Amino acid sequence: NSSTTPFTSNNVAVGYEALRGSTNAAANTGTSNTALGYQSLFPNTSGSNNTANGAFALNSNTTGGSNTANGFSALKSNTAGSSNTANGSDALRNNGLGNNNTANGKSALFLNNSGNDNTGNGTAALSSNITGNGNTANGATVLFSNSSGNDNSAYGANALYFNKAGSNATAIGTRAMFYANNSTTPFTNYNVAVGYEALRGSTSAVANTGNSNTAVGYQSLFSNTTGKENTANGADALSSNTTGNDNTAQGSSALQSNTTGNNNTAIGKFALNSNTTGGNNTAIGRFADVADGALTNATAIGYNAKVTASNKIRLGNAAVTVIEGQVAYTFPSDGRFKNNVSESDVKGLYFIKKLRPVVYNFDTRKFDLFARSGMPEAHFAAYTETGYYAATAIRQSGFIAQEVEQAALEAGYNFNGIHKPENDRDHYSLAYSQFVVPLVKGMQEQQKMIEEQQKEIDLLKKMVEQLLKAQR
């Protein structure tokens, strides 16, 4: 208050050059300031309602008001910024014009210059922020690298550590989204990560720019780089995903091996665990999975169900003894959509006579073990808790697919009731409903033979009657 004008300042200064003011020519008219410490509020001129506790606290402030600085060099560079709170050594040290910031912890919001409405709680929280606004960081080195990103929220040590310019992200958990958006290009990612190292990212050298991902659980979506619109709920869910998009994983280790596959849905612990690059696959149930990592449009439903080929649906594992429904299964058979219709291509009696009906037992456990790609017995036991005795004990009636295949080949019949293995992990199967067509054809052929034979019988009977009459 070097002015000659009467002025009530209500200021308190304790310490060498505290609230000293810049020069004799600059009238210090700030009011209600409290400066405790060496050169605290040193050049203040008209800033009011400031509190500085600690050497160099608010050391550069001139016109900023309603600031609170507690700690060595807290808000040291602030000049015109207002309504800031800095608690801790070097907290908000470089703030110049930023307003409404709160920094609690050593070096919290250390580089902030003009960013507004940020909150950093923890050592070096938001330490590199310069112009970013509306960020909230709770934990040591949380949002440490953020410089211009806006409206991010991070809770947990090192969460969103490398984020530089990404905005609208939420990370809760130690190292959650650790490498997320380490590019300096402004980017809005809308990612949510909850859990230790959720959406952590692979390395600092790979810019994680994937957006609209949700990861909940330990290391869920751990390796994601550019993958977008993925949802992972459960420990290690989608943990290997890098560029895959639009995947949904619900359950511990669901879709754990997926890297670039898209549009997959896995519900259940270890569901679709083997998928890597395959897309449009669905698995529902614990251990429900695909036999090959590159299948497409494959569906496995039920505990330990394993689908072995693309465009195939598997219901339950081999231990299932009944598949039940209130009505019969139907499939489309509308003449409006059928073309190249041919009756002559159907082989009847010739094909049917070559079939060998048999009764047999099916080794269901061996079948599931085969579907699990030769998994060792000890390891296989960990994947299944279901007894196979009941299913294996059933005396089945049917055919052997390889024999049906041979019969169709010999009959020159392109029979679609046989599914042939599409890969070394797939197996033969039969669609018994398709046997109705050649059976009907065979019955028609047989009926025609019967009718022709009947005509011959009738003719012979007539001839016999005429011979008998002639003898009389």
Side-chain angles (χ1 to χ4, degrees), residues 93-139:
R93 172 171 176 154
N94 292 287
N95 191 76
L97 306 174
N99 303 313
N100 305 312
N101 297 293
T102 300
N104 294 313
K106 176 177 170 55
S107 300
L109 276 159
F110 180 83
L111 293 177
N112 193 78
N113 179 264
S114 59
N116 302 314
D117 305 306
N118 297 292
T119 300
N121 295 316
T123 299
L126 273 165
S127 179
S128 303
N129 193 76
I130 300 173
T131 61
N133 302 314
N135 297 292
T136 300
N138 290 312

mmCIF file of all heavy atoms in Angstrom, residues 93-139:
data_model
loop_
_atom_site.group_PDB
_atom_site.id
_atom_site.type_symbol
_atom_site.label_atom_id
_atom_site.label_comp_id
_atom_site.label_asym_id
_atom_site.label_seq_id
_atom_site.Cartn_x
_atom_site.Cartn_y
_atom_site.Cartn_z
ATOM 1 N N ARG A 93 2.680 -25.015 -9.211
ATOM 2 C CA ARG A 93 3.830 -24.100 -9.179
ATOM 3 C C ARG A 93 3.862 -23.159 -10.390
ATOM 4 O O ARG A 93 4.199 -21.981 -10.266
ATOM 5 C CB ARG A 93 5.128 -24.907 -9.133
ATOM 6 C CG ARG A 93 6.367 -24.023 -9.287
ATOM 7 C CD ARG A 93 7.641 -24.749 -9.028
ATOM 8 N NE ARG A 93 8.792 -23.888 -9.272
ATOM 9 C CZ ARG A 93 9.973 -24.029 -8.696
ATOM 10 N NH1 ARG A 93 10.148 -24.990 -7.826
ATOM 11 N NH2 ARG A 93 10.971 -23.225 -8.978
ATOM 12 N N ASN A 94 3.537 -23.677 -11.586
ATOM 13 C CA ASN A 94 3.670 -22.854 -12.790
ATOM 14 C C ASN A 94 2.366 -22.230 -13.260
ATOM 15 O O ASN A 94 2.315 -21.669 -14.354
ATOM 16 C CB ASN A 94 4.265 -23.706 -13.923
ATOM 17 C CG ASN A 94 5.708 -24.100 -13.648
ATOM 18 O OD1 ASN A 94 6.612 -23.286 -13.726
ATOM 19 N ND2 ASN A 94 5.907 -25.363 -13.288
ATOM 20 N N ASN A 95 1.339 -22.350 -12.463
ATOM 21 C CA ASN A 95 0.064 -21.759 -12.871
ATOM 22 C C ASN A 95 0.214 -20.253 -13.050
ATOM 23 O O ASN A 95 0.744 -19.547 -12.194
ATOM 24 C CB ASN A 95 -1.011 -22.047 -11.817
ATOM 25 C CG ASN A 95 -2.399 -21.686 -12.317
ATOM 26 O OD1 ASN A 95 -2.973 -22.407 -13.116
ATOM 27 N ND2 ASN A 95 -2.916 -20.565 -11.860
ATOM 28 N N GLY A 96 -0.262 -19.806 -14.238
ATOM 29 C CA GLY A 96 -0.211 -18.376 -14.471
ATOM 30 C C GLY A 96 -1.592 -17.760 -14.551
ATOM 31 O O GLY A 96 -1.920 -16.835 -13.812
ATOM 32 N N LEU A 97 -2.429 -18.324 -15.432
ATOM 33 C CA LEU A 97 -3.737 -17.735 -15.684
ATOM 34 C C LEU A 97 -4.881 -18.676 -15.333
ATOM 35 O O LEU A 97 -6.041 -18.281 -15.437
ATOM 36 C CB LEU A 97 -3.843 -17.335 -17.175
ATOM 37 C CG LEU A 97 -2.738 -16.423 -17.711
ATOM 38 C CD1 LEU A 97 -2.906 -16.237 -19.218
ATOM 39 C CD2 LEU A 97 -2.759 -15.078 -17.007
ATOM 40 N N GLY A 98 -4.574 -19.899 -14.972
ATOM 41 C CA GLY A 98 -5.621 -20.875 -14.702
ATOM 42 C C GLY A 98 -6.455 -20.523 -13.489
ATOM 43 O O GLY A 98 -5.958 -19.985 -12.497
ATOM 44 N N ASN A 99 -7.739 -20.858 -13.555
ATOM 45 C CA ASN A 99 -8.677 -20.556 -12.468
ATOM 46 C C ASN A 99 -9.365 -21.819 -11.966
ATOM 47 O O ASN A 99 -9.503 -22.802 -12.682
ATOM 48 C CB ASN A 99 -9.749 -19.571 -12.963
ATOM 49 C CG ASN A 99 -9.167 -18.287 -13.509
ATOM 50 O OD1 ASN A 99 -8.300 -17.662 -12.897
ATOM 51 N ND2 ASN A 99 -9.628 -17.874 -14.688
ATOM 52 N N ASN A 100 -9.782 -21.724 -10.701
ATOM 53 C CA ASN A 100 -10.621 -22.768 -10.104
ATOM 54 C C ASN A 100 -9.953 -24.141 -10.104
ATOM 55 O O ASN A 100 -10.611 -25.172 -10.275
ATOM 56 C CB ASN A 100 -11.973 -22.863 -10.832
ATOM 57 C CG ASN A 100 -12.699 -21.535 -10.880
ATOM 58 O OD1 ASN A 100 -12.828 -20.845 -9.883
ATOM 59 N ND2 ASN A 100 -13.159 -21.166 -12.070
ATOM 60 N N ASN A 101 -8.650 -24.166 -9.933
ATOM 61 C CA ASN A 101 -7.914 -25.424 -9.848
ATOM 62 C C ASN A 101 -7.635 -25.779 -8.391
ATOM 63 O O ASN A 101 -7.431 -24.902 -7.551
ATOM 64 C CB ASN A 101 -6.588 -25.326 -10.606
ATOM 65 C CG ASN A 101 -6.785 -25.097 -12.083
ATOM 66 O OD1 ASN A 101 -7.294 -25.955 -12.784
ATOM 67 N ND2 ASN A 101 -6.386 -23.913 -12.563
ATOM 68 N N THR A 102 -7.597 -27.087 -8.126
ATOM 69 C CA THR A 102 -7.275 -27.567 -6.787
ATOM 70 C C THR A 102 -6.172 -28.605 -6.899
ATOM 71 O O THR A 102 -6.317 -29.599 -7.615
ATOM 72 C CB THR A 102 -8.495 -28.193 -6.101
ATOM 73 O OG1 THR A 102 -9.536 -27.217 -5.995
ATOM 74 C CG2 THR A 102 -8.133 -28.701 -4.711
ATOM 75 N N ALA A 103 -5.073 -28.367 -6.209
ATOM 76 C CA ALA A 103 -3.943 -29.293 -6.232
ATOM 77 C C ALA A 103 -3.537 -29.624 -4.810
ATOM 78 O O ALA A 103 -3.170 -28.737 -4.032
ATOM 79 C CB ALA A 103 -2.768 -28.679 -6.986
ATOM 80 N N ASN A 104 -3.614 -30.911 -4.471
ATOM 81 C CA ASN A 104 -3.234 -31.374 -3.135
ATOM 82 C C ASN A 104 -2.169 -32.451 -3.281
ATOM 83 O O ASN A 104 -2.455 -33.556 -3.752
ATOM 84 C CB ASN A 104 -4.450 -31.940 -2.402
ATOM 85 C CG ASN A 104 -5.494 -30.884 -2.112
ATOM 86 O OD1 ASN A 104 -5.176 -29.806 -1.635
ATOM 87 N ND2 ASN A 104 -6.751 -31.183 -2.419
ATOM 88 N N GLY A 105 -0.945 -32.120 -2.921
ATOM 89 C CA GLY A 105 0.144 -33.074 -3.022
ATOM 90 C C GLY A 105 1.343 -32.455 -3.695
ATOM 91 O O GLY A 105 1.225 -31.538 -4.519
ATOM 92 N N LYS A 106 2.522 -32.951 -3.374
ATOM 93 C CA LYS A 106 3.756 -32.420 -3.936
ATOM 94 C C LYS A 106 3.716 -32.469 -5.464
ATOM 95 O O LYS A 106 3.418 -33.492 -6.053
ATOM 96 C CB LYS A 106 4.953 -33.227 -3.432
ATOM 97 C CG LYS A 106 6.288 -32.812 -4.035
ATOM 98 C CD LYS A 106 7.431 -33.596 -3.445
ATOM 99 C CE LYS A 106 8.727 -33.355 -4.222
ATOM 100 N NZ LYS A 106 9.105 -31.943 -4.338
ATOM 101 N N SER A 107 3.973 -31.348 -6.096
ATOM 102 C CA SER A 107 4.037 -31.191 -7.551
ATOM 103 C C SER A 107 2.729 -31.484 -8.259
ATOM 104 O O SER A 107 2.703 -31.666 -9.485
ATOM 105 C CB SER A 107 5.145 -32.075 -8.151
ATOM 106 O OG SER A 107 6.400 -31.729 -7.616
ATOM 107 N N ALA A 108 1.645 -31.539 -7.525
ATOM 108 C CA ALA A 108 0.354 -31.713 -8.185
ATOM 109 C C ALA A 108 0.063 -30.515 -9.077
ATOM 110 O O ALA A 108 0.309 -29.380 -8.685
ATOM 111 C CB ALA A 108 -0.745 -31.900 -7.146
ATOM 112 N N LEU A 109 -0.408 -30.780 -10.309
ATOM 113 C CA LEU A 109 -0.684 -29.715 -11.281
ATOM 114 C C LEU A 109 0.521 -28.785 -11.438
ATOM 115 O O LEU A 109 0.382 -27.568 -11.580
ATOM 116 C CB LEU A 109 -1.937 -28.928 -10.886
ATOM 117 C CG LEU A 109 -3.265 -29.543 -11.338
ATOM 118 C CD1 LEU A 109 -4.426 -29.025 -10.503
ATOM 119 C CD2 LEU A 109 -3.533 -29.266 -12.820
ATOM 120 N N PHE A 110 1.716 -29.372 -11.427
ATOM 121 C CA PHE A 110 2.976 -28.641 -11.398
ATOM 122 C C PHE A 110 3.117 -27.676 -12.579
ATOM 123 O O PHE A 110 3.514 -26.525 -12.421
ATOM 124 C CB PHE A 110 4.140 -29.639 -11.402
ATOM 125 C CG PHE A 110 5.500 -29.015 -11.371
ATOM 126 C CD1 PHE A 110 6.077 -28.612 -10.173
ATOM 127 C CD2 PHE A 110 6.224 -28.818 -12.544
ATOM 128 C CE1 PHE A 110 7.337 -28.032 -10.143
ATOM 129 C CE2 PHE A 110 7.483 -28.245 -12.521
ATOM 130 C CZ PHE A 110 8.044 -27.856 -11.313
ATOM 131 N N LEU A 111 2.802 -28.148 -13.814
ATOM 132 C CA LEU A 111 3.026 -27.325 -15.005
ATOM 133 C C LEU A 111 1.800 -26.543 -15.447
ATOM 134 O O LEU A 111 1.854 -25.831 -16.466
ATOM 135 C CB LEU A 111 3.495 -28.214 -16.170
ATOM 136 C CG LEU A 111 4.869 -28.877 -16.033
ATOM 137 C CD1 LEU A 111 5.146 -29.764 -17.232
ATOM 138 C CD2 LEU A 111 5.972 -27.832 -15.881
ATOM 139 N N ASN A 112 0.717 -26.684 -14.763
ATOM 140 C CA ASN A 112 -0.503 -26.019 -15.219
ATOM 141 C C ASN A 112 -0.256 -24.522 -15.418
ATOM 142 O O ASN A 112 0.278 -23.841 -14.556
ATOM 143 C CB ASN A 112 -1.634 -26.220 -14.202
ATOM 144 C CG ASN A 112 -2.975 -25.825 -14.774
ATOM 145 O OD1 ASN A 112 -3.567 -26.576 -15.537
ATOM 146 N ND2 ASN A 112 -3.460 -24.647 -14.428
ATOM 147 N N ASN A 113 -0.677 -24.056 -16.604
ATOM 148 C CA ASN A 113 -0.506 -22.640 -16.902
ATOM 149 C C ASN A 113 -1.842 -21.928 -17.015
ATOM 150 O O ASN A 113 -2.122 -20.992 -16.290
ATOM 151 C CB ASN A 113 0.296 -22.460 -18.195
ATOM 152 C CG ASN A 113 0.472 -21.001 -18.570
ATOM 153 O OD1 ASN A 113 -0.281 -20.472 -19.364
ATOM 154 N ND2 ASN A 113 1.478 -20.356 -17.976
ATOM 155 N N SER A 114 -2.676 -22.395 -17.964
ATOM 156 C CA SER A 114 -3.953 -21.732 -18.167
ATOM 157 C C SER A 114 -5.146 -22.671 -18.044
ATOM 158 O O SER A 114 -6.277 -22.273 -18.315
ATOM 159 C CB SER A 114 -3.966 -21.065 -19.551
ATOM 160 O OG SER A 114 -3.759 -22.008 -20.571
ATOM 161 N N GLY A 115 -4.886 -23.914 -17.666
ATOM 162 C CA GLY A 115 -5.986 -24.852 -17.484
ATOM 163 C C GLY A 115 -6.892 -24.452 -16.337
ATOM 164 O O GLY A 115 -6.435 -23.937 -15.312
ATOM 165 N N ASN A 116 -8.182 -24.718 -16.503
ATOM 166 C CA ASN A 116 -9.170 -24.332 -15.494
ATOM 167 C C ASN A 116 -9.936 -25.552 -14.968
ATOM 168 O O ASN A 116 -10.042 -26.576 -15.632
ATOM 169 C CB ASN A 116 -10.181 -23.347 -16.092
ATOM 170 C CG ASN A 116 -9.532 -22.100 -16.646
ATOM 171 O OD1 ASN A 116 -8.667 -21.494 -16.016
ATOM 172 N ND2 ASN A 116 -9.947 -21.697 -17.847
ATOM 173 N N ASP A 117 -10.453 -25.401 -13.769
ATOM 174 C CA ASP A 117 -11.396 -26.362 -13.195
ATOM 175 C C ASP A 117 -10.808 -27.764 -13.066
ATOM 176 O O ASP A 117 -11.506 -28.766 -13.228
ATOM 177 C CB ASP A 117 -12.681 -26.426 -14.033
ATOM 178 C CG ASP A 117 -13.321 -25.050 -14.197
ATOM 179 O OD1 ASP A 117 -13.572 -24.391 -13.186
ATOM 180 O OD2 ASP A 117 -13.548 -24.649 -15.361
ATOM 181 N N ASN A 118 -9.514 -27.855 -12.797
ATOM 182 C CA ASN A 118 -8.864 -29.145 -12.600
ATOM 183 C C ASN A 118 -8.694 -29.444 -11.113
ATOM 184 O O ASN A 118 -8.512 -28.534 -10.300
ATOM 185 C CB ASN A 118 -7.482 -29.155 -13.269
ATOM 186 C CG ASN A 118 -7.568 -28.978 -14.765
ATOM 187 O OD1 ASN A 118 -8.059 -29.845 -15.471
ATOM 188 N ND2 ASN A 118 -7.073 -27.831 -15.257
ATOM 189 N N THR A 119 -8.714 -30.740 -10.799
ATOM 190 C CA THR A 119 -8.465 -31.167 -9.422
ATOM 191 C C THR A 119 -7.435 -32.278 -9.435
ATOM 192 O O THR A 119 -7.626 -33.310 -10.080
ATOM 193 C CB THR A 119 -9.757 -31.690 -8.761
ATOM 194 O OG1 THR A 119 -10.738 -30.652 -8.736
ATOM 195 C CG2 THR A 119 -9.479 -32.157 -7.344
ATOM 196 N N GLY A 120 -6.330 -32.049 -8.752
ATOM 197 C CA GLY A 120 -5.283 -33.059 -8.641
ATOM 198 C C GLY A 120 -4.970 -33.342 -7.189
ATOM 199 O O GLY A 120 -4.497 -32.456 -6.468
ATOM 200 N N ASN A 121 -5.258 -34.574 -6.764
ATOM 201 C CA ASN A 121 -4.996 -34.971 -5.382
ATOM 202 C C ASN A 121 -3.992 -36.119 -5.369
ATOM 203 O O ASN A 121 -4.308 -37.230 -5.805
ATOM 204 C CB ASN A 121 -6.301 -35.432 -4.705
ATOM 205 C CG ASN A 121 -7.306 -34.310 -4.574
ATOM 206 O OD1 ASN A 121 -6.956 -33.199 -4.201
ATOM 207 N ND2 ASN A 121 -8.564 -34.591 -4.871
ATOM 208 N N GLY A 122 -2.798 -35.866 -4.927
ATOM 209 C CA GLY A 122 -1.761 -36.884 -4.885
ATOM 210 C C GLY A 122 -0.468 -36.355 -5.453
ATOM 211 O O GLY A 122 -0.450 -35.426 -6.274
ATOM 212 N N THR A 123 0.643 -36.933 -5.029
ATOM 213 C CA THR A 123 1.950 -36.508 -5.517
ATOM 214 C C THR A 123 2.005 -36.545 -7.039
ATOM 215 O O THR A 123 1.699 -37.554 -7.658
ATOM 216 C CB THR A 123 3.045 -37.428 -4.946
ATOM 217 O OG1 THR A 123 3.034 -37.342 -3.524
ATOM 218 C CG2 THR A 123 4.415 -37.036 -5.464
ATOM 219 N N ALA A 124 2.354 -35.444 -7.650
ATOM 220 C CA ALA A 124 2.516 -35.291 -9.097
ATOM 221 C C ALA A 124 1.245 -35.571 -9.887
ATOM 222 O O ALA A 124 1.300 -35.808 -11.092
ATOM 223 C CB ALA A 124 3.659 -36.168 -9.607
ATOM 224 N N ALA A 125 0.106 -35.548 -9.227
ATOM 225 C CA ALA A 125 -1.148 -35.714 -9.964
ATOM 226 C C ALA A 125 -1.329 -34.558 -10.940
ATOM 227 O O ALA A 125 -1.114 -33.404 -10.589
ATOM 228 C CB ALA A 125 -2.320 -35.773 -8.993
ATOM 229 N N LEU A 126 -1.674 -34.884 -12.205
ATOM 230 C CA LEU A 126 -1.842 -33.863 -13.244
ATOM 231 C C LEU A 126 -0.620 -32.952 -13.329
ATOM 232 O O LEU A 126 -0.726 -31.762 -13.636
ATOM 233 C CB LEU A 126 -3.112 -33.036 -12.998
ATOM 234 C CG LEU A 126 -4.415 -33.587 -13.584
ATOM 235 C CD1 LEU A 126 -5.627 -32.905 -12.969
ATOM 236 C CD2 LEU A 126 -4.448 -33.434 -15.100
ATOM 237 N N SER A 127 0.532 -33.532 -13.083
ATOM 238 C CA SER A 127 1.757 -32.746 -12.974
ATOM 239 C C SER A 127 2.113 -32.016 -14.261
ATOM 240 O O SER A 127 2.673 -30.919 -14.228
ATOM 241 C CB SER A 127 2.926 -33.647 -12.564
ATOM 242 O OG SER A 127 4.120 -32.921 -12.472
ATOM 243 N N SER A 128 1.794 -32.625 -15.437
ATOM 244 C CA SER A 128 2.194 -32.028 -16.708
ATOM 245 C C SER A 128 1.097 -31.213 -17.363
ATOM 246 O O SER A 128 1.282 -30.700 -18.476
ATOM 247 C CB SER A 128 2.643 -33.131 -17.680
ATOM 248 O OG SER A 128 3.700 -33.893 -17.124
ATOM 249 N N ASN A 129 -0.029 -31.118 -16.721
ATOM 250 C CA ASN A 129 -1.143 -30.388 -17.340
ATOM 251 C C ASN A 129 -0.761 -28.929 -17.581
ATOM 252 O O ASN A 129 -0.217 -28.253 -16.712
ATOM 253 C CB ASN A 129 -2.383 -30.451 -16.438
ATOM 254 C CG ASN A 129 -3.631 -29.991 -17.155
ATOM 255 O OD1 ASN A 129 -4.191 -30.715 -17.965
ATOM 256 N ND2 ASN A 129 -4.054 -28.772 -16.873
ATOM 257 N N ILE A 130 -1.067 -28.438 -18.788
ATOM 258 C CA ILE A 130 -0.766 -27.052 -19.138
ATOM 259 C C ILE A 130 -2.049 -26.285 -19.441
ATOM 260 O O ILE A 130 -2.334 -25.258 -18.827
ATOM 261 C CB ILE A 130 0.194 -26.978 -20.344
ATOM 262 C CG1 ILE A 130 1.517 -27.674 -20.016
ATOM 263 C CG2 ILE A 130 0.461 -25.519 -20.727
ATOM 264 C CD1 ILE A 130 2.458 -27.784 -21.201
ATOM 265 N N THR A 131 -2.822 -26.802 -20.401
ATOM 266 C CA THR A 131 -4.033 -26.092 -20.818
ATOM 267 C C THR A 131 -5.303 -26.911 -20.635
ATOM 268 O O THR A 131 -6.393 -26.422 -20.930
ATOM 269 C CB THR A 131 -3.923 -25.685 -22.297
ATOM 270 O OG1 THR A 131 -3.785 -26.870 -23.098
ATOM 271 C CG2 THR A 131 -2.725 -24.770 -22.513
ATOM 272 N N GLY A 132 -5.164 -28.153 -20.191
ATOM 273 C CA GLY A 132 -6.341 -29.002 -20.039
ATOM 274 C C GLY A 132 -7.311 -28.476 -19.001
ATOM 275 O O GLY A 132 -6.914 -27.910 -17.980
ATOM 276 N N ASN A 133 -8.596 -28.701 -19.253
ATOM 277 C CA ASN A 133 -9.642 -28.206 -18.353
ATOM 278 C C ASN A 133 -10.517 -29.351 -17.837
ATOM 279 O O ASN A 133 -10.703 -30.364 -18.509
ATOM 280 C CB ASN A 133 -10.542 -27.207 -19.090
ATOM 281 C CG ASN A 133 -9.791 -26.021 -19.646
ATOM 282 O OD1 ASN A 133 -8.968 -25.422 -18.967
ATOM 283 N ND2 ASN A 133 -10.061 -25.675 -20.895
ATOM 284 N N GLY A 134 -11.061 -29.143 -16.656
ATOM 285 C CA GLY A 134 -12.075 -30.038 -16.141
ATOM 286 C C GLY A 134 -11.602 -31.436 -15.834
ATOM 287 O O GLY A 134 -12.396 -32.380 -15.866
ATOM 288 N N ASN A 135 -10.320 -31.618 -15.534
ATOM 289 C CA ASN A 135 -9.785 -32.938 -15.212
ATOM 290 C C ASN A 135 -9.798 -33.180 -13.705
ATOM 291 O O ASN A 135 -9.592 -32.255 -12.913
ATOM 292 C CB ASN A 135 -8.358 -33.077 -15.733
ATOM 293 C CG ASN A 135 -8.287 -32.972 -17.238
ATOM 294 O OD1 ASN A 135 -8.769 -33.837 -17.947
ATOM 295 N ND2 ASN A 135 -7.684 -31.884 -17.733
ATOM 296 N N THR A 136 -9.989 -34.444 -13.331
ATOM 297 C CA THR A 136 -9.939 -34.822 -11.925
ATOM 298 C C THR A 136 -8.986 -35.996 -11.771
ATOM 299 O O THR A 136 -9.159 -37.035 -12.416
ATOM 300 C CB THR A 136 -11.336 -35.230 -11.408
ATOM 301 O OG1 THR A 136 -12.238 -34.131 -11.561
ATOM 302 C CG2 THR A 136 -11.268 -35.631 -9.944
ATOM 303 N N ALA A 137 -7.980 -35.831 -10.937
ATOM 304 C CA ALA A 137 -6.979 -36.872 -10.714
ATOM 305 C C ALA A 137 -6.816 -37.114 -9.225
ATOM 306 O O ALA A 137 -6.492 -36.190 -8.481
ATOM 307 C CB ALA A 137 -5.641 -36.460 -11.332
ATOM 308 N N ASN A 138 -7.049 -38.351 -8.807
ATOM 309 C CA ASN A 138 -6.901 -38.717 -7.401
ATOM 310 C C ASN A 138 -5.934 -39.881 -7.288
ATOM 311 O O ASN A 138 -6.245 -41.004 -7.694
ATOM 312 C CB ASN A 138 -8.256 -39.110 -6.801
ATOM 313 C CG ASN A 138 -9.180 -37.912 -6.647
ATOM 314 O OD1 ASN A 138 -8.776 -36.882 -6.127
ATOM 315 N ND2 ASN A 138 -10.415 -38.034 -7.109
ATOM 316 N N GLY A 139 -4.746 -39.630 -6.768
ATOM 317 C CA GLY A 139 -3.739 -40.663 -6.606
ATOM 318 C C GLY A 139 -2.396 -40.189 -7.101
ATOM 319 O O GLY A 139 -2.298 -39.281 -7.945
#
